Amino acid sequence: MRDAAGATDRPGGHRREDLPLSYAQQGMWFLERLAGTTLYAVPMTFRLAGELDTAALHRSIEELVRRHQALRTRFPVVDGQPVQRVDRDAAVPLPLTDLTALAPKEREAEAARFLDEDLGQPFDLAEGPVIRAALIRLAPREHIIRITTHHMVSDAWSWWSVLFRELERLYTAHVRGLPSPLPPVASHYADFVRWQRDWLEGPAYPSQLAYWRKTLEGVSPLPELSLARPAAGRAQEPPVTRWLTFPQPLYDRLREISRREHVTLYMLLLTAFKQVLRRYVPGDDILVATRGGFRSRVEFERAVGFFVNVLPLRTRVPETTGFRPLLHDVRRTMIGVYAHRDVPYERLMAELGLKRPGFKSVTNVCVSFQSTPEVPPALEGLDVTLINHHDPFSGYDIDLGFYEEDGALRALLTHRRAQYDDAAAARLLDDLHRALLAAAHELRPAAADGPRARPPSPEKRETQGNQEKEDA
């Protein structure tokens, strides 16, 4: 009997047909193998206020796992190489930790401790499972649900656009005692793995590879930034994160500029950060990475799995270039990159001879924009709010992510203390804020009538400076 993954039952046993890992999965698997522990856990944590039907929630989670093969996949090693093996069944226990006997403050502290410990629990990729769940009861009508997957079987789109939207419909049905309203899953991650292997043997691959060979000719990693180095004894600490919320007036101006210049907001933000990086390196060849996706084909839009690809973005940033010409250089670069985004980064590095010792990437700075709306699942009878926002582990020296959340623009900077200390990270975010303020001023629209305004007087400059401090 053959299922949608092409796996075949064997008489008297559970062994199924194995598949190779995708190129993106290979890179992640080898990095974890090198580290000797789980690096890429993806926890999703929500506070549930209201009358929770625990049995309906548990049935809904298990139905998600039954529907999506990626969540039933494990990664044993066969003949020295990792493979994907989809199990027919994979139970997901939902253990309950009841904290109602504690005082309110103690409950929150104990819940936070529990979540931290859960985040540190490793996955056994060879034996599985690659998903786990836990429920905390704070009060009769207040719970915390934590669902964690390994990043090798999920990405942001999988969670926010597929799994949580299905969870909504499943929970409503189970609460009402109805069967699942969801149609069968049309495609799985295994289908993507086969498509990718076939595509790499097809006629489009040489053309895309030629683009990258020309674009990355003579490229080298971004030099170390001339910023504060780590203090003694802190270099081995794990990466740390720092948030920045941009003032609303600045955010509004940036969106207006993006519309007027016919660029995306991300192009504008990336341009500003490239200007910032240029201040701390000796040359003008600025190479960073960004995260793209392999979901350009419609059949993979509703599939669950790890569809992320790394895309190199190379731009010349002369010190004397104005913001507008640089912005449109970045726009042209990104259009070209996105038109050639199907080449797996790991394959690209091997083809171009850009692999570095110790699995280090030629791109050591990453800048991304989270375009998937992070909307918590709407569960019947419950007020659901996201807590404990954790991004997966980053292997970059500097990893900057932009988020549009609840009508605000935020930036999350992750940095390795082995490379840059906290003061360096704070300085980069402060410089980015100032660069965006300067860009908003440089690209302000001309007066609708009359000649171009003359430079402001010293008194007006002081007033304008005070206004920018208020925006900051």
Side-chain angles (χ1 to χ4, degrees), residues 322-340:
F323 192 88
R324 178 176 278 114
L326 180 58
L327 173 61
H328 289 279
D329 280 348
V330 168
R331 179 181 183 272
R332 284 188 291 272
T333 296
M334 294 188 71
I335 289 174
V337 164
Y338 284 138
H340 301 85

Side-chain angles (χ1 to χ4, degrees), residues 404-421:
E404 288 185 289
E405 299 176 327
D406 300 324
L409 176 64
R410 306 180 73 198
L412 176 64
L413 181 68
T414 303
H415 66 102
R416 291 198 308 117
R417 279 182 167 155
Q419 198 69 26
Y420 303 106
D421 67 12

Side-chain angles (χ1 to χ4, degrees), residues 108-122:
E108 294 294 339
E110 183 63 19
R113 185 196 63 78
F114 177 93
L115 294 174
D116 284 342
E117 287 188 358
D118 176 75
L119 184 61
Q121 292 296 315

Side-chain angles (χ1 to χ4, degrees), residues 71-76 87 90-91 122-131:
L71 304 181
R72 292 183 276 113
T73 300
R74 51 194 177 93
F75 302 89
D87 290 332
F123 282 103
D124 186 336
L125 291 177
E127 295 297 325
V130 290
I131 180 172

Side-chain angles (χ1 to χ4, degrees), residues 328-397:
H328 289 279
D329 280 348
V330 168
R331 179 181 183 272
R332 284 188 291 272
T333 296
M334 294 188 71
I335 289 174
V337 164
Y338 284 138
H340 301 85
R341 63 182 177 179
D342 287 326
V343 179
Y345 180 77
E346 293 74 16
R347 175 76 172 256
L348 178 63
M349 294 298 101
E351 290 272 19
L352 302 187
L354 294 175
K355 281 189 174 181
R356 301 170 64 201
F359 298 102
K360 290 185 177 179
S361 170
V362 71
T363 49
N364 48 25
V365 173
C366 187
V367 188
S368 300
F369 191 94
Q370 174 61 284
S371 58
T372 306
E374 296 187 350
V375 180
L379 303 181
E380 184 167 299
L382 295 168
D383 182 16
V384 183
T385 55
L386 175 67
I387 60 175
N388 284 11
H389 191 297
H390 287 284
D391 270 20
F393 168 83
S394 172
Y396 294 96
D397 296 340

Side-chain angles (χ1 to χ4, degrees), residues 32-48:
E32 284 207 350
R33 189 81 161 190
L34 191 66
T37 188
T38 296
L39 299 175
Y40 295 95
V42 182
M44 292 292 176
T45 315
F46 299 94
R47 189 178 296 268
L48 312 176

